[in-house]
Amino acid sequence: MSGRALLMWDEAVTQYDFGSEHPMDPVRLALTMSLVRAYGLDRAVDVVAAKPAGDSTLRLVHREDYVAAVRAASADPRHADQAYGLGTVDDPAFAGMHEASALIAGQSVGAAEAVWRGEAAHAVNFAGGLHHAMPGAASGFCIYNDASLAIARLLELGAERVAYVDVDVHHGDGVQAAFWEDPRVLTVSLHEHPRTLFPQTGWPEETGAAGPGEGGAVNVALPAGTGDAGWLRAFHAVVPELLADFRPQVLVTQHGADTHFEDPLAHLAVSLDAQRAVQEACHGLAHEYAEGRWLALGGGGYAVVDVVPRSWTHLVGIAAHAPVDPESVIPSSWRDEVYARTRQLGPGRMTDGLWPVGFRDWSEGYDPADRLDQAVLATRKAVFPLRGMLA
């Protein structure tokens, strides 16, 4: 296995653009890559552009009629069919939509292939993580589900156990749906409670299809307002034990940055420093349980200047075994670019001032009156016994 990490990047992924009024501004991708370069991380990884996913690859997850509908809307946005979730407020059609979406999917699939074949230890596609897209419909700013496609490709290549861990503030519903009946895939999602956030799914009782799939879906529904200590406590109370039991051959993780307290679309209160801590934890878990095979994806994140570029630059640094010091001063050249592009002042350091972040481990006991502990216990009670584990 190559010791180098891959960073999947093609400038054309910034053409995944729903328009100037949409919260998913592609400037977040451009600014992330610029910050990666400002720290010299592009020299610590192999920067690679994969081919767009072709129709046969897209059909590993998506229905043929849906791909045809995306193509039609891409060629002429006036032909967007809302029956497929296209042309909606969340997923407005735009010219070239199929090409941009297939390109992002192709980066994740190419990354998965490289990790599986031992051509790279780790791979990052921060343009990916579009976890809401369903087999037959767009949803939640997501056209093609690159995470599901990458996992499906791993299975096609012979993987027998793939773990997917999603720490985006929104439930990873599309990936869960794609592998609901498949015991070869363990999906774990930590997200804001469905009572208070889209897509209103991801209850702890959602544990996979009856039969072989039962216990293959894991959902931790976090109370609105959960901060660093609770978020990290929940992650460490659920994820390591599950991975120790499942023993994945590959770990795929989704690192939506929208858990952050500055994110405008959700209600958790997580810092950049806690996000970095979970990235480090995922890296360690990949080495501990998956022989280092790790594919890390981006996802949501709508504080496009202050949060997303810093969070995903940390992710790239961790994957490259060249972590960025949280206390480091961000290069002025990047802050100048931020101002030129957005007329906003960029952040000055790679921390929110909370590093290192502490939390109380689950093994130290739980408080039955605490809402966070109630959420964790609900998940453990729903899933762990199905897997023969103690709740």
Side-chain angles (χ1 to χ4, degrees), residues 291-303:
E291 298 181 359
R293 298 188 191 96
W294 182 34
L295 169 57
L297 306 172
Y302 309 100

Side-chain angles (χ1 to χ4, degrees), residues 233-283:
R233 177 169 166 80
F235 178 93
H236 287 281
V238 173
V239 177
E241 285 181 67
L242 287 167
L243 295 187
D245 171 71
F246 188 63
R247 309 295 299 187
Q249 294 163 299
V250 188
L251 178 62
V252 180
T253 56
Q254 197 267 23
H255 297 272
D258 43 9
T259 51
H260 195 273
F261 54 76
E262 286 187 16
D263 196 273
L265 299 189
H267 318 98
L268 295 191
V270 172
S271 72
L272 181 79
D273 300 294
Q275 291 178 346
R276 186 187 190 279
V278 160
Q279 294 165 3
E280 285 195 329
C282 289
H283 177 226

